[in-house]
């Protein structure tokens, strides 16, 4: 009937309006897939996992794969590997696989935007309209662990291990990526320790200028 059609049109208009408001809110705050990718390159999944994980003896495989007991199922032998330079993890026991943002979402049981806001605060990346404060409990938890010695020691251990690789192995693409990531993460610690913020908007504009040039 015409009444049912009108009701359906009104419901559709309401859905479209709600979606438009949400999209504008995301755009105004700087939250989008580009920011997700920026966090993926700027942050450290190894840092997040090491904050939460209780594995006593963490072994390294390949160039920069850190073996942990899985955070998402019970096991006695570590089967969750964090690949540092790709900022991804995979558990060979239960199949759990995450990047930086989705690991935080799953472990802390928070939504996508909360994860982005928290990571922006932890890594001192300034975005428009971040509703979180520096004294947020999760921000404090991850930022304090970033500046603690155990995480830095993991990075140094991995970097020194790479430095002992043979000349032949150093020619591999993965070697250079892994070494660059270790250096980046050590500099990240110093940046946070010194209280230096990154303005995401300006950083994005710089990358855009480099791309078109």
């Amino acid at each position: 009937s015409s009444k049912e059609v009108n009701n359906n049109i009104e419901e559709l208009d309401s859905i479209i309006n709600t979606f438009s408001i949400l999209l504008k809110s995301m755009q105004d705050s700087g939250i989008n897939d580009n920011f997700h990718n920026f966090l993926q390159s700027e942050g450290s999944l190894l840092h997040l996992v090491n904050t939460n994980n209780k594995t006593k003896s963490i072994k390294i495989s390949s160039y920069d794969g850190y073996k942990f007991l899985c955070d998402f199922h019970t096991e006695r032998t570590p089967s969750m590997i964090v690949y540092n330079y790709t900022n991804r993890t995979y558990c060979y026991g239960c199949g759990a696989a995450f990047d930086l943002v989705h690991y935080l979402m799953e472990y802390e049981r928070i939504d996508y935007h909360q994860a982005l806001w928290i990571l922006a605060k932890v890594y001192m990346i300034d975005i428009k309209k971040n509703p979180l404060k520096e004294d947020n409990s999760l921000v404090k938890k991850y930022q304090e662990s970033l500046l603690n010695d155990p995480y830095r020691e993991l990075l140094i251990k991995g970097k020194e291990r790479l430095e002992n690789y043979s000349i032949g192995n150093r020619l591999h693409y993965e070697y250079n990526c892994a070494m660059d990531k270790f250096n980046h993460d050590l500099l990240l610690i110093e940046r946070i320790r010194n209280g230096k913020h990154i303005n995401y908007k300006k950083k994005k504009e710089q990358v855009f200028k480099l791309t078109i040039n």
Side-chain angles (χ1 to χ4, degrees):
S1 68
S2 60
K3 185 177 181 180
E4 289 177 342
V5 170
N6 288 335
N7 287 339
N8 289 337
I9 291 173
E10 287 178 3
E11 288 180 8
L12 182 60
D13 285 342
S14 177
I15 292 171
I16 292 173
N17 185 51
T18 301
F19 178 77
S20 297
I21 293 171
L22 177 60
L23 181 62
K24 187 177 187 306
S25 174
M26 290 167 62
Q27 291 171 338
D28 289 344
S29 65
I31 297 295
N32 53 34
D33 287 343
N34 289 335
F35 185 61
H36 182 154
N37 293 336
F38 181 75
L39 281 172
Q40 185 68 12
S41 64
E42 185 65 28
S44 169
L45 180 56
L46 179 63
H47 154 234
L48 301 185
V49 173
N50 191 59
T51 300
N52 299 316
N53 206 278
K54 304 304 180 187
T55 305
K56 292 182 179 180
S57 180
I58 301 168
K59 296 181 180 180
I60 309 175
S61 64
S62 186
Y63 290 94
D64 64 348
Y66 288 78
K67 292 183 178 181
F68 290 89
L69 291 169
C70 184
D71 287 326
F72 305 100
H73 82 282
T74 303
E75 63 179 4
R76 293 184 179 181
T77 303
S79 62
M80 186 176 78
I81 300 182
V82 176
Y83 299 98
N84 192 47
Y85 89 81
T86 60
N87 258 344
R88 295 184 181 277
T89 185
Y90 181 78
C91 176
Y92 289 86
C94 69
F98 304 103
D99 66 3
L100 185 81
V101 173
H102 290 97
Y103 169 85
L104 191 65
M105 289 172 60
E106 185 70 18
Y107 188 87
E108 299 293 355
R109 302 294 182 186
I110 56 178
D111 67 30
Y112 182 67
H113 293 97
Q114 287 175 313
L116 295 179
W117 287 327
I118 288 168
L119 292 171
K121 283 294 182 182
V122 169
Y123 297 123
M124 292 187 177
I125 302 168
D126 295 336
I127 56 174
K128 291 171 61 178
K129 299 181 180 179
N130 189 334
L132 301 183
K133 304 297 182 183
E134 282 73 10
D135 62 355
N136 174 277
S137 60
L138 288 179
V139 172
K140 289 177 67 176
K141 167 187 170 180
Y142 287 104
Q143 202 165 82
E144 287 173 1
S145 71
L146 180 70
L147 301 177
N148 285 342
D149 288 338
Y151 169 60
R152 188 172 185 275
E153 288 168 1
L154 271 186
L155 293 175
I156 292 173
K157 178 182 177 182
K159 183 178 178 180
E160 289 178 345
R161 182 173 174 273
L162 279 188
E163 288 171 343
N164 291 326
Y165 268 39
S166 66
I167 297 296
N169 282 326
R170 293 186 186 192
L171 296 176
H172 292 178
Y173 173 76
E174 290 84 356
Y175 172 89
N176 293 306
C177 290
M179 184 61 80
D180 287 346
K181 186 63 165 62
F182 283 130
N183 288 330
H184 171 276
D185 290 345
L186 289 167
L187 288 173
L188 172 63
I189 293 173
E190 294 309 309
R191 179 173 71 77
I192 303 302
R193 196 185 303 280
N194 293 326
K196 294 183 178 179
H197 289 244
I198 288 177
N199 185 299
Y200 171 63
K201 183 179 179 181
K202 290 182 179 178
K203 197 78 173 178
K204 185 171 62 173
E205 289 171 351
Q206 290 171 1
V207 171
F208 179 72
K209 287 177 182 178
L210 286 173
T211 301
I212 62 175
N213 289 334

